[in-house]
Amino acid sequence: MANDGSPVAGATTEQPKPSAAKESNFYQKQYVSSFVEKWDELIDWDSRSKTEGQFFIDLLKEQGKETVLDVATGTGFHTVRLVEAGFDVTSCDGNAEMLAKAFENGKARGHILKTVQADWRWLNKDIQGKYDAIICLGNSFTHLFREVDRHRALAEFYAALKHDGILIIDQRNYDQMLDDREYSSSHKFYYCGEQVSAAPDLLEDNLARFKYDFPDGSSYHLNMFPLRRQYVADLLKTHGFQTITTYSDFQETHKTEDPDFFIHVAKKE
Ligand code: SAM
């Protein structure tokens, strides 16, 4: 391991030390294969589908959308769900390992996914055409640490959408974490019963570091930028999106209760 926490050449299965790396390219180093394999093995897609229900499928269908660009494909969960619901999906991710895993997962379910490796900040260099909808799910947008990178990514998403396209971005409820640091440091998020847990083990104004604990005793970290809900909504407006509707844990609400997730649906017209 190098002094800055980055893996030394050849050590590709090791995650860098949980240093306070605050840069937008760091996502490339965090998703090492052992973490990805373990995650997919334990967080089974059936239970994840149950929690999420038909939310994204219904929303896209109601809007009459057909072509979808999944910009944060990861291991392919949303891509596969949407393909199976009849959407024409292109699966994009900046991380080659993630895309390979998504392709494998798709194939195991009888689908040949259309994959494109592209970083959001230069998205239109690598994709072709314009889409009805873009999805950026699983708290992915918070991988961007620099304001300029968030601007670049949103400008690229906007340009990749048709004139009446919609962008769906979700994020954790960082407002609650930032406003109530004592609560958040003791709060664990459980996945798959009690098998996997995640808790913020370092929280600063510009860093939320989550520690994921697995039943075999191993643990991994993900460094995220703690985005405030209103900041994201304002950013979407700045980039020309006309209407932004924010849902809390898959329900449209204007209440100030404390959901785990926010989902922003931004329309170009
Ligand atoms: N959406 C999937 C899910 O919910 O299971 C995966 C979410 S995972 C938390 C975030 C994904 O975003 C990773 O696959 C990562 O490689 C990708 N990502 C992060 N920053 C990116 C960037 N700048 N450009 C392209 N992909 C990026």
Side-chain angles (χ1 to χ4, degrees):
M1 191 77 65
N3 287 339
D4 66 352
S6 59
V8 290
T12 51
T13 54
E14 247 187 275
Q15 201 183 34
K17 279 213 178 88
S19 60
K22 296 169 188 168
E23 50 121 344
S24 302
N25 288 328
F26 194 57
Y27 76 95
Q28 294 285 16
K29 294 179 189 164
Q30 297 191 97
Y31 292 106
V32 294
S33 53
S34 48
F35 181 28
V36 172
E37 294 285 344
K38 215 168 282 206
W39 184 263
D40 251 17
E41 195 183 291
L42 285 160
I43 313 297
D44 78 280
W45 285 16
D46 291 343
S47 46
R48 200 173 166 192
S49 300
K50 270 189 208 129
T51 319
E52 201 173 281
Q54 291 278 111
F55 182 83
F56 297 111
I57 293 169
D58 289 347
L59 200 143
L60 291 164
K61 284 203 168 150
E62 274 160 24
Q63 303 288 324
K65 304 304 178 202
E66 289 170 5
T67 56
V68 181
L69 182 66
D70 182 356
V71 288
T73 296
T75 59
F77 173 73
H78 290 106
T79 287
V80 168
R81 282 211 77 196
L82 294 181
V83 165
E84 290 180 349
F87 293 95
D88 176 0
V89 188
T90 302
S91 312
C92 167
D93 200 289
N95 185 293
E97 204 156 340
M98 284 300 216
L99 272 185
K101 183 71 190 164
F103 190 81
E104 194 186 294
N105 282 337
K107 208 166 159 210
R109 287 164 181 79
H111 313 293
I112 298 297
L113 303 188
K114 291 188 271 183
T115 56
V116 183
Q117 187 184 356
D119 189 288
W120 306 327
R121 293 164 289 174
W122 303 278
L123 182 70
N124 290 279
K125 183 166 72 66
D126 296 303
I127 60 154
Q128 285 178 347
K130 302 221 184 249
Y131 296 82
D132 292 337
I134 291 181
I135 57 169
C136 183
L137 302 176
N139 200 34
S140 300
F141 195 65
T142 74
H143 275 297
L144 295 174
F145 276 88
R146 295 170 63 212
E147 171 113 16
V148 65
D149 290 329
R150 291 191 280 273
H151 280 296
R152 277 186 191 146
L154 286 186
E156 292 289 315
F157 294 168
Y158 191 91
L161 285 167
K162 289 184 190 161
H163 71 97
D164 58 351
I166 64 170
L167 168 64
I168 310 177
I169 288 191
D170 72 3
Q171 62 167 105
R172 269 191 192 283
N173 181 356
Y174 291 112
D175 290 68
Q176 188 192 18
M177 292 181 205
L178 292 167
D179 293 340
D180 191 354
R181 292 181 196 227
E182 211 168 302
Y183 158 85
S184 54
S185 58
S186 61
H187 187 82
K188 281 194 174 195
F189 301 93
Y190 287 100
Y191 301 91
C192 222
E194 304 246 316
Q195 290 232 66
V196 184
S197 70
D201 76 341
L202 181 64
L203 191 61
E204 298 168 1
D205 287 342
N206 58 4
L207 174 71
R209 192 178 71 195
F210 283 87
K211 181 165 171 271
Y212 291 80
D213 291 317
F214 288 89
D216 64 0
S218 61
S219 51
Y220 293 84
H221 288 82
L222 285 183
N223 284 8
M224 307 289 200
F225 186 92
L227 295 165
R228 287 200 177 264
R229 164 195 170 148
Q230 193 56 46
Y231 165 83
V232 177
D234 291 345
L235 207 60
L236 290 162
K237 275 242 152 98
T238 306
H239 278 273
F241 290 97
Q242 297 297 304
T243 7
I244 290 107
T245 310
T246 302
Y247 297 81
S248 302
D249 283 338
F250 309 119
Q251 289 183 341
E252 188 175 4
T253 173
H254 302 289
K255 284 183 253 156
T256 50
E257 61 202 35
D258 294 321
D260 282 347
F261 265 86
F262 294 123
I263 300 134
H264 306 279
V265 179
K267 294 185 187 169
K268 263 178 112 165
E269 63 162 43

